[in-house]
Amino acid sequence: MSNLFVGRLRNIFTGTRLGHLRFFSQSQVTQADLKNWPDWRMLKDHNKRMCLKEFGRERILINTIRKCDILPREIREIADKEIVALPRNSNYIRLVKRCCITSRPRGVVTRWRLSRIVFRHLVDYNKLSGVMRGIW
């Protein structure tokens, strides 16, 4: 019954599977891996976002089945086992808002994904369209 359940879930999701992604810990990151990222934290954040993109919808669907009181107990137990099999990084709670340029986790202006320091610098030199510097 579990394989039938998983098969039907997989048919619902038509997103691409990103099997070529590698998930790094801090000790496994080399300099070649960091060429596009400010530091290893940003690379880790990127990998979390890709994992969420791949498994996020599936996790939400299975979680909905787990918490539904109308369904029989056996189906909810199967959903419990399926949610444990998914990677932890597929949970949206594990994402941290970071600045795209400096990888700073605090003071991030959400709309632009920039820290307040970088945001202010770009606004001062008129690099962000549609944003004016507050002068009073």
Side-chain angles (χ1 to χ4, degrees):
M1 187 169 185
S2 177
N3 291 337
L4 179 64
F5 179 70
V6 173
R8 287 185 181 170
L9 281 178
R10 297 223 193 276
N11 289 338
I12 292 172
F13 303 106
T14 58
T16 59
R17 296 288 181 199
L18 302 174
H20 63 279
L21 282 179
R22 298 181 315 191
F23 297 98
F24 297 108
S25 67
Q26 178 183 0
S27 61
Q28 294 173 332
V29 176
T30 63
Q31 195 63 31
D33 296 328
L34 288 176
K35 68 179 181 179
N36 296 327
W37 310 105
D39 62 353
W40 62 270
R41 290 177 201 93
M42 196 67 188
L43 179 63
K44 189 175 175 182
D45 182 61
H46 173 73
N47 285 334
K48 283 182 185 179
R49 288 178 188 275
M50 290 297 108
C51 187
L52 178 66
K53 183 178 178 181
E54 184 177 354
F55 296 108
R57 292 181 61 196
E58 189 172 349
R59 177 176 276 276
I60 290 172
L61 181 65
I62 294 173
N63 225 355
T64 307
I65 292 171
R66 280 179 60 215
K67 295 180 180 181
C68 183
D69 294 335
I70 300 170
L71 294 174
R73 184 90 179 136
E74 295 84 20
I75 292 178
R76 287 187 284 158
E77 288 174 359
I78 292 170
D80 284 337
K81 291 176 185 172
E82 293 297 323
I83 205 95
V84 170
L86 290 174
R88 286 187 176 189
N89 286 336
S90 63
N91 194 348
Y92 69 93
I93 297 295
R94 292 178 66 101
L95 287 183
V96 176
K97 295 176 186 166
R98 290 190 171 274
C99 174
C100 290
I101 297 175
T102 61
S103 184
R104 188 174 198 271
R106 296 182 181 181
V108 175
V109 182
T110 307
R111 184 174 173 186
W112 287 275
R113 280 186 65 194
L114 296 172
S115 69
R116 59 184 175 81
I117 301 163
V118 173
F119 180 78
R120 176 137 186 202
H121 178 75
L122 293 176
V123 169
D124 284 347
Y125 291 100
N126 201 18
K127 299 291 183 184
L128 291 177
S129 62
V131 181
M132 289 185 63
R133 182 175 179 200
I135 302 173
W136 59 87

